[in-house]
Amino acid sequence: MAPAAPLLRRSELATPATSDRMFDRAAASGADLVFLDLEDAVAPARKVEARAGAVAALTGRDWGSTVRAVRVNGLHTPWAHGDVVEVLTGAVDALDTLILPKVTSARDVWWFDVLLTQLEAQLGRTRPVRLEVLIEDVAALAAVEEIAVASPRLDALIFGAGDFSVSVGARVDTNFAPLGDYPGDFWHYARCKVLAAARIGGLVAVDAPYPDYRDAAGYTVQARRAGLLGYTGKWAIHPSQVPIANEVYAPTADEVARAERDIAAYRDGEARGLGAVGIGGVLVDAAHVTLSQAVLARARAVAERATAPRAVAR
Ligand code: GLV
Ligand code: MG
């Protein structure tokens, strides 16, 4: 039996919920997930009116197969409760996922889960709202394994390098890069910890935003770095970053060819009673088969997404 289709979150595009001129571009961007931001992209004075903007964006257009998400404000603010209630009441089934920022513990995730369960029952929603959590606070990093298993609604952990820099006190520039020479990868520890926790919870890990949207090469380097570790997607803060993420996080033709070759050779060896076979001087065993099956499942998911319904232009 083919493994379940992997969750595709190659690109998650941020769009301010107050900017309706950006909604069409976001819908047409090809991002796997678009989120309407009620948090840092919205000034405090506009937080309340922004909720109606998010609802209008979710319900007023056909998003095709794009995952529709909203980033609400965190539990430390006066807006989190109203954000969830107003957005879900207005959008009902036109919302797939909520993104939770500045979570500090599993209890925070539980709070959202309980509120959503009550609202879903009241509104007659037919399927549960999914959750993605930003790990961008030192307390969240310390508790990340518990956070990753805090709710069956969870799909992804997102590493938020911006607020994490603030929380940890890192000396970084506006692109969250270290302000001086640093041996090795500045984010390696945090990225690995978030990734391992995500895998414990059966979730995907999504890499941080890259604010310098004119630096496509820099975005590509960071996306690849995270991808080699096991991240399967990255935030995009501009539509131009979406095709880069979609390409970086899709298996390459070489990876697919190698996976097919290894599986075929292994099956051939198996038929001859062997548990491992040599291919070009390399021993291929069951672990290679599992790895290869994952590559092929991902390639299939990417191909299906390419032919899935697109957002309808208005
Ligand atoms: C994202 O929200 C970040 O802080 O990097
Ligand atoms: Mg943040």
Side-chain angles (χ1 to χ4, degrees):
M1 199 174 70
L7 189 73
L8 269 199
R9 292 287 187 273
R10 295 167 302 171
S11 48
E12 298 201 341
L13 176 63
T15 308
T18 40
S19 174
D20 52 1
R21 75 188 165 79
M22 290 190 191
F23 297 158
D24 285 329
R25 280 178 75 195
S29 68
D32 289 336
L33 177 150
V34 168
F35 72 89
L36 305 154
D37 194 12
L38 297 175
E39 203 219 11
D40 286 356
V42 177
R46 300 191 64 195
K47 290 281 189 199
V48 171
E49 71 181 82
R51 295 170 185 158
V55 170
L58 292 167
T59 56
R61 72 201 57 235
D62 180 353
W63 288 86
S65 55
T66 309
V67 179
R68 299 153 297 180
V70 169
R71 176 166 72 165
V72 293
N73 288 284
L75 278 183
H76 59 293
T77 74
W79 301 295
H81 177 267
D83 286 351
V84 179
V85 173
E86 284 191 37
V87 169
L88 198 59
T89 304
V92 194
D93 282 318
L95 171 77
D96 301 307
T97 295
L98 285 184
I99 297 180
L100 313 180
K102 299 185 181 67
V103 159
T104 55
S105 67
R107 211 172 58 142
D108 293 359
V109 179
W110 182 83
W111 186 95
F112 283 100
D113 187 322
V114 171
L115 179 57
L116 286 168
T117 302
Q118 297 194 1
L119 283 170
E120 284 163 353
Q122 267 174 39
L123 297 166
R125 233 186 98 106
T126 49
R127 66 207 157 87
V129 174
R130 310 296 305 169
L131 294 177
E132 300 194 4
V133 169
L134 273 152
I135 305 299
E136 54 182 348
D137 184 284
V138 286
L141 195 68
V144 70
E145 286 92 354
E146 289 108 72
I147 291 172
V149 295
S151 163
R153 297 175 186 273
L154 281 168
D155 282 332
L157 298 183
I158 305 155
F159 173 50
D163 277 300
F164 187 74
S165 299
V166 178
S167 184
V168 85
R171 299 176 70 183
V172 294
D173 64 14
T174 47
N175 206 29
F176 315 142
L179 279 170
D181 181 40
Y182 184 86
D185 181 349
F186 197 65
W187 296 121
H188 187 71
Y189 170 69
R191 268 185 178 148
C192 281
K193 194 158 159 63
V194 171
L195 173 67
R199 303 311 305 145
I200 290 169
L203 317 177
V204 298
V206 177
D207 195 42
Y210 189 87
D212 187 349
Y213 55 84
R214 279 182 296 209
D215 180 10
Y219 182 85
T220 308
V221 166
Q222 292 300 325
R224 286 216 176 104
R225 242 175 230 181
L228 288 172
L229 285 173
Y231 278 70
T232 51
K234 186 166 176 66
W235 262 16
I237 49 85
H238 190 274
S240 64
Q241 295 177 332
V242 168
I244 304 176
N246 285 354
E247 191 186 332
V248 168
Y249 294 105
T252 62
D254 278 355
E255 278 176 284
V256 170
R258 192 179 323 118
E260 285 169 343
R261 181 202 65 182
D262 287 359
I263 290 175
Y266 182 84
R267 294 290 173 233
D268 184 53
E270 211 177 23
R272 290 181 285 121
L274 301 174
V277 288
I279 304 177
V282 177
L283 197 69
V284 169
D285 67 9
H288 294 85
V289 172
T290 314
L291 206 64
S292 300
Q293 284 169 336
V295 169
L296 297 185
R298 204 164 160 70
R300 273 195 303 274
V302 169
E304 273 164 31
R305 172 86 178 104
T307 55
R310 315 295 292 190
V312 176
R314 295 186 332 144

